[in-house]
Amino acid sequence: MIVQGRPATYLRAQDDTVVPMTSARAPQVLVLGLNFPPESTGISPYTGAMARGLHRNGFDTQVLTTHPHYPEWRTQPGGRQWHRRDDRDGVRVDRLRHYVPSSPRGIRRLISEFSFGARATSRRWGRPDVIITVSPAMIASAMAVFRARVTHPRTPVVVWVQDLYTLGLAETGQATGIALAAMRAIERWLLRSADQVVVIHNRFADRVVRDFGVERRRVAVVRNWTHLSPTPGYDVGAVRASHNWAQDDVVVLHAGNMGLKQGLDNVIETARLASSRGERVRFVLLGAGSELERLRALGAGIPNLEFLSPVSDEEFTATLGSANILLVNERPGVAEMAVPSKLTSYFASGRPVVAATDLNGITADEVRAADAGVVVPAGDPFALLSAVLELGSDEAEAFRLGNNARLYRQTVLDEDTAIRSFSEILGTLIQEGTAPQTRPDHTKPVEDTSTEELLD
């Protein structure tokens, strides 16, 4: 068997996954992604864990990424260099300076992605055996795929889809009309140009096939997982005391990014409602994001509302496990664009979940599939407070849902399974190579989906 003109042998990885290796070197993987550890939320932990996992499975892995800046949207101290090389757990990481807007919306967000794409595509890539782009960032991914097709025409390209980009623009109201149609055309080209599209949920796979005309055989589902390591035993009472949470308070914790998609005004209004009724419910928003300061101002003076800054992974795990209820809140209209990454960590904590979201959306489906919590309509403070009070007063039901969440994490959202699946996908692509006739035919007409349908 020939891999890119070189005779192939095989390498057995630590977990018995078999991956191809040329006689001269291990198979080389180039990963291009906007976010990478030490960023601790969003896509970053998955890109980081996958890069490390591929290295463990015998791949020579290189990453092109940015300096840490998310979710604060501010480059962290020490991240001003034009280029910096890091080595993290055997993975070569090239960090490239790019434009970081303080308000990541509209044209500023596009310029940010374009600046990373320009930096990443102007670097020397060497001779990778497979190229992975992580979307979002969709613009940077499209630039990388275009570069790959020009300079590495026989190298397989994988697009790893964490969020459906234009669906997100439509559902959050950030783009409409011609702008949305133009972005959708770019996303369609990106996905149809890939040799393999990897998505994180079956409903994403359906969307990619139906809305973008990608052949089903070129779409694979690899589920995300919890990126948090098991935390040694901790004293729940001590953790609660450290946050000044009374033992009889029902603590409702929302953790992660505070952006437009999360629609956290709903949580502020629910806290205000609970306070006006004298309910012993405390709402806690843990994390950072572009909406943080506005939310602080909106919630000023509400006594049962608290903001916590990001903490270490160990503290994060203990804080999740010390809350009574973990909250997913999404803006009304958000239904299909993303699977909240926080759910993997929530499920691992063994605490019940309340999801304020579209009742027919992907987040609701995930919570119901795990039988891990309660779903209420997005943007309805009365429904959210009612669900919180009911679940907070039913210890047996909360315990049952929390156990179901942990079991789902262990059986469905397993990191080793995900990395093994991804390794096998890459191994197959490298073994088969990419001949021009196997690439998608961009001349075939594809039934289009209107902007109006995306907005539904």
Side-chain angles (χ1 to χ4, degrees):
M1 180 176 294
I2 302 297
V3 177
Q4 298 197 74
R6 296 181 296 277
T9 57
Y10 294 92
L11 175 69
R12 186 169 295 277
Q14 295 176 5
D15 63 354
D16 286 337
T17 300
V18 176
V19 297
M21 185 178 79
T22 70
S23 57
R25 57 179 173 82
Q28 294 186 356
V29 177
L30 176 64
V31 181
L32 299 98
L34 189 67
N35 302 102
F36 200 78
E39 293 177 356
S40 60
T41 190
I43 295 171
S44 166
Y46 302 108
T47 307
M50 185 60 72
R52 294 191 300 271
L54 293 177
H55 170 71
R56 290 195 305 271
N57 281 4
F59 292 91
D60 181 0
T61 307
Q62 179 183 6
V63 176
L64 291 179
T65 188
T66 64
H67 295 289
H69 64 279
Y70 182 86
E72 295 86 358
W73 288 97
R74 182 179 63 253
T75 301
Q76 298 304 303
R80 296 292 181 179
Q81 304 98 323
W82 188 243
H83 168 246
R84 188 180 77 214
R85 168 68 61 85
D86 291 339
D87 290 306
R88 298 180 66 90
D89 301 311
V91 176
R92 300 191 314 281
V93 181
D94 287 294
R95 297 192 181 275
L96 310 173
R97 186 173 178 180
H98 82 306
Y99 167 61
V100 180
S102 58
S103 179
R105 295 185 187 175
I107 190 66
R108 291 184 180 88
R109 181 68 172 263
L110 294 181
I111 293 173
S112 178
E113 291 193 19
F114 181 86
S115 69
F116 170 61
R119 293 297 320 280
T121 55
S122 64
R123 300 287 299 175
R124 290 188 177 185
W125 286 2
R127 299 173 63 193
D129 294 295
V130 64
I131 297 168
I132 303 170
T133 69
V134 185
S135 182
M138 188 265 288
I139 297 296
S141 293
M143 294 170 70
V145 171
F146 181 81
R147 151 83 192 267
R149 291 314 184 202
V150 172
T151 64
H152 296 69
R154 299 187 65 83
T155 302
V157 175
V158 176
V159 175
W160 186 13
V161 178
Q162 291 283 337
D163 291 347
L164 291 172
Y165 197 93
T166 51
L167 193 58
L169 293 178
E171 291 187 344
T172 58
Q174 296 182 78
T176 58
I178 294 175
L180 181 61
M183 296 297 288
R184 188 175 183 280
I186 295 172
E187 188 166 26
R188 181 172 62 242
W189 179 87
L190 168 66
L191 298 176
R192 295 183 67 211
S193 295
D195 297 290
Q196 186 78 55
V197 177
V198 177
V199 298
I200 63 172
H201 199 277
N202 290 325
R203 284 177 61 160
F204 276 18
D206 294 339
R207 277 278 185 174
V208 166
V209 172
R210 184 178 71 248
D211 294 353
F212 297 101
V214 180
E215 298 171 276
R216 174 69 69 171
R217 66 181 178 83
R218 293 193 297 110
V219 180
V221 178
V222 176
R223 297 300 307 270
N224 279 347
W225 58 91
T226 179
H227 59 274
L228 299 174
S229 301
T231 299
Y234 52 87
D235 184 333
V236 171
V239 174
R240 290 176 70 96
S242 72
H243 293 302
N244 294 317
W245 299 344
Q247 297 305 313
D248 57 349
D249 278 348
V250 175
V251 176
V252 182
L253 175 67
H254 178 283
N257 185 42
M258 301 183 201
L260 193 63
K261 170 185 173 291
Q262 284 72 34
L264 293 171
D265 292 37
N266 182 53
V267 181
I268 303 293
E269 295 311 312
T270 306
R272 197 186 311 275
L273 177 63
S275 177
S276 70
R277 292 182 175 183
E279 305 287 1
R280 293 200 58 90
V281 180
R282 177 181 291 271
F283 289 86
V284 180
L285 300 179
L286 166 62
S290 60
E291 291 280 282
L292 174 58
E293 293 310 315
R294 189 187 67 81
L295 292 168
R296 283 186 184 276
L298 183 64
I302 302 177
N304 60 335
L305 176 67
E306 179 181 359
F307 291 86
L308 293 179
S309 298
V311 295
S312 68
D313 283 354
E314 184 172 322
E315 292 175 288
F316 183 75
T317 302
T319 301
L320 291 184
S322 300
N324 299 89
I325 295 169
L326 302 177
L327 175 62
V328 179
N329 192 90
E330 295 183 318
R331 177 189 176 109
V334 170
E336 299 284 340
M337 63 174 283
V339 183
S341 59
K342 61 173 59 67
L343 276 179
T344 59
S345 301
Y346 282 10
F347 289 166
S349 74
R351 288 291 186 260
V353 175
V354 170
T357 184
D358 186 289
L359 297 181
N360 298 310
I362 197 168
T363 300
D365 261 11
E366 191 71 355
V367 173
R368 293 188 188 111
D371 191 16
V374 178
V375 179
V376 299
D380 187 338
F382 292 93
L384 176 55
L385 181 57
S386 177
V388 164
L389 292 174
E390 183 174 351
L391 187 56
S393 64
D394 190 340
E395 292 185 9
E397 179 65 359
F399 182 80
R400 184 187 73 82
L401 294 172
N403 272 350
N404 289 346
R406 185 178 282 122
L407 179 63
Y408 190 79
R409 205 290 305 169
Q410 294 169 346
T411 57
V412 178
L413 308 178
D414 176 66
E415 179 176 346
D416 290 340
T417 299
I419 292 174
R420 183 166 56 250
S421 297
F422 216 115
S423 298
E424 291 170 355
I425 289 169
L426 300 187
T428 299
L429 287 172
I430 294 171
Q431 289 179 52
E432 294 177 350
T434 305
Q437 63 268 23
T438 67
R439 294 227 183 102
D441 183 356
H442 298 286
T443 65
K444 294 181 180 179
V446 177
E447 182 178 347
D448 198 7
T449 302
S450 68
T451 300
E452 286 75 21
E453 181 178 339
L454 277 177
L455 290 168
D456 286 343

